[in-house]
Amino acid sequence: MIIDRSNKQNKKLLFKTFDVTGAVLLEDEMEIENNRTILSGITSTLVNDELLVAGTWTVGNSKQTSGIFTVLIDPFRNQPVNYYDFGRFTHFLDYLSNKRAAKIKTRSAEALSLGKLPEYKTYAIPIRLDEQAEGFGFLVEVYQPSANFSPYPYYGNFGPPMYGYYPYYGYNPFMNRYYNAPYQYNQPASGDTKMLHAALIVLDRNGKPTHDYGLKFQELKTATLEQTSDFIFYKGEVALAFKKEKEVRVLRSSGEETELDTLASIPINPTETVRSESEGANYIRSWYQNTFYSWGYQTLRDTSKGSLEASRRVFYINKIEIN
């Protein structure tokens, strides 16, 4: 998937799939509005018949994101690219104060009614597009880069790939994430980054938003820009979670209501307690059905032993089942 900018007045999003020999299986192109720029995108995995592309867009050449876009791939007819600015979602702005979020939403509604582009932008990156029988779950994370940090997520210092060269061994923002691996499968961009918020947008089979959820990270600091949260989409219910040191914060849906819960790691040995946990190496990912798994490094203290033998450092993996 690439952006064709050879004609500035007729920008296009080009999509191709290939077989194992490199022969083209499917090819499609979608027109992009002149005053908008596609920043990044992810494709679905054809669990259903529909192939969806979802990602982020901005106004002009801004380095910050204005909203998300979705488009269904159909080489036999023209498919419009649907753009949604962040102010149109119920919970995307939950990491801001109530007053500021309300102001942004009001201005977004006014701009939409007047046919204008939204003013609000932020640093956001698409993380995962999950496909279910009833639709899709699209996870986006909001972050604040450091002063010396490239604002283009995962592109290093080369800028977004649609504007030219990007490193072969870096992260391709148009990659398709088939699964969540417990190892770093891309090269994260380094810098002192604040991860601010996880936004989960539920889409129908046509890629249209139906509802959304938001989970504030409480300014979780990371040394690299990489996936911080994850979600499970099981039997029509949603759980959105992130891990910070010893605790896992989970937002669960129950019909039209949501519930926020905090889980803590408990050592198997009853005489041991968690003394500390590595801040830079603890993660959470979806596993299967209604289950997450988390992993990291902890320092345990055994109260039944002497001071010289009381502490040990361990690598752990926890299974987290959401009921």
Side-chain angles (χ1 to χ4, degrees):
M1 188 162 54
I2 59 174
I3 304 296
D4 180 6
R5 300 181 73 249
S6 57
N7 185 342
K8 292 184 179 180
Q9 303 303 318
N10 188 23
K11 295 180 292 185
K12 294 180 179 180
L13 176 64
L14 307 180
F15 179 87
K16 293 183 180 181
T17 59
F18 304 86
D19 64 16
V20 293
T21 66
V24 175
L25 292 175
L26 177 66
E27 185 174 3
D28 198 4
E29 62 179 42
M30 290 73 68
E31 292 187 2
I32 302 171
E33 295 182 16
N34 292 336
N35 50 6
R36 304 180 198 253
T37 300
I38 301 298
L39 291 178
S40 57
I42 306 175
T43 68
S44 62
T45 55
L46 278 178
V47 173
N48 303 318
D49 294 334
E50 296 83 4
L51 181 60
L52 180 75
V53 178
T56 57
W57 63 276
T58 190
V59 177
N61 293 325
S62 174
K63 299 175 182 179
Q64 292 182 297
T65 304
S66 298
I68 71 163
F69 77 90
T70 64
V71 59
L72 287 173
I73 300 300
D74 188 345
F76 303 107
R77 59 178 179 174
N78 292 330
Q79 291 281 25
V81 179
N82 302 301
Y83 302 94
Y84 306 94
D85 66 88
F86 294 139
R88 295 172 63 179
F89 295 105
T90 304
H91 296 289
F92 191 95
L93 303 173
D94 283 359
Y95 66 99
L96 301 175
S97 67
N98 293 337
K99 183 178 180 180
R100 188 181 180 199
K103 187 176 182 180
I104 293 171
K105 290 179 181 179
T106 299
R107 289 185 174 179
S108 171
E110 292 174 351
L112 182 64
S113 65
L114 296 174
K116 296 182 178 180
L117 293 173
E119 296 179 356
Y120 179 74
K121 300 182 184 70
T122 189
Y123 291 105
I125 180 172
I127 296 296
R128 180 173 160 229
L129 182 61
D130 183 63
E131 192 169 357
Q132 300 289 326
E134 59 270 33
F136 306 86
F138 184 39
L139 178 63
V140 178
E141 291 184 354
V142 181
Y143 67 97
Q144 178 182 327
S146 62
N148 61 348
F149 183 75
S150 170
Y152 295 106
Y154 299 109
Y155 311 148
N157 295 316
F158 297 92
M162 65 286 293
Y163 294 117
Y165 171 81
Y166 66 99
Y168 291 106
Y169 300 103
Y171 169 80
N172 180 355
F174 298 110
M175 73 178 290
N176 189 350
R177 300 185 179 200
Y178 287 93
Y179 62 93
N180 295 299
Y183 307 102
Q184 188 59 44
Y185 46 80
N186 53 52
Q187 181 181 359
S190 60
D192 185 13
T193 305
K194 286 183 180 179
M195 305 305 297
L196 303 179
H197 185 71
L200 176 60
I201 301 162
V202 179
L203 310 168
D204 63 18
R205 293 282 292 270
N206 295 315
K208 303 294 180 64
T210 59
H211 49 288
D212 66 286
Y213 304 90
L215 183 59
K216 187 176 180 180
F217 288 150
Q218 301 169 337
E219 295 192 358
L220 180 65
K221 292 184 179 181
T222 62
T224 58
L225 176 57
E226 55 188 338
Q227 182 177 352
T228 301
S229 63
D230 212 341
F231 69 95
I232 52 178
F233 199 168
Y234 184 63
K235 292 185 177 180
E237 302 296 335
V238 169
L240 176 61
F242 77 94
K243 189 173 185 297
K244 185 176 182 181
E245 298 180 357
K246 295 182 288 185
E247 295 183 343
V248 173
R249 299 278 283 175
V250 181
L251 180 73
R252 296 184 289 185
S253 70
S254 178
E256 297 297 324
E257 303 295 326
T258 58
E259 178 185 359
L260 187 61
D261 199 2
T262 301
L263 310 176
S265 299
I266 301 176
I268 297 176
N269 188 340
T271 64
E272 289 185 318
T273 59
V274 179
R275 186 174 181 180
S276 63
E277 179 149 355
S278 172
E279 295 184 9
N282 59 94
Y283 305 89
I284 187 168
R285 296 290 184 269
S286 67
W287 191 357
Y288 64 92
Q289 295 182 348
N290 62 331
T291 306
F292 291 103
Y293 67 99
S294 66
W295 73 98
Y297 294 90
Q298 291 177 336
T299 299
L300 304 180
R301 180 177 179 81
D302 193 333
T303 57
S304 66
K305 296 182 179 180
S307 58
L308 295 179
E309 302 174 340
S311 296
R312 65 188 181 106
R313 186 168 173 79
V314 299
F315 171 78
Y316 70 91
I317 300 176
N318 283 338
K319 175 182 177 182
I320 304 172
E321 189 172 352
I322 306 299
N323 297 314

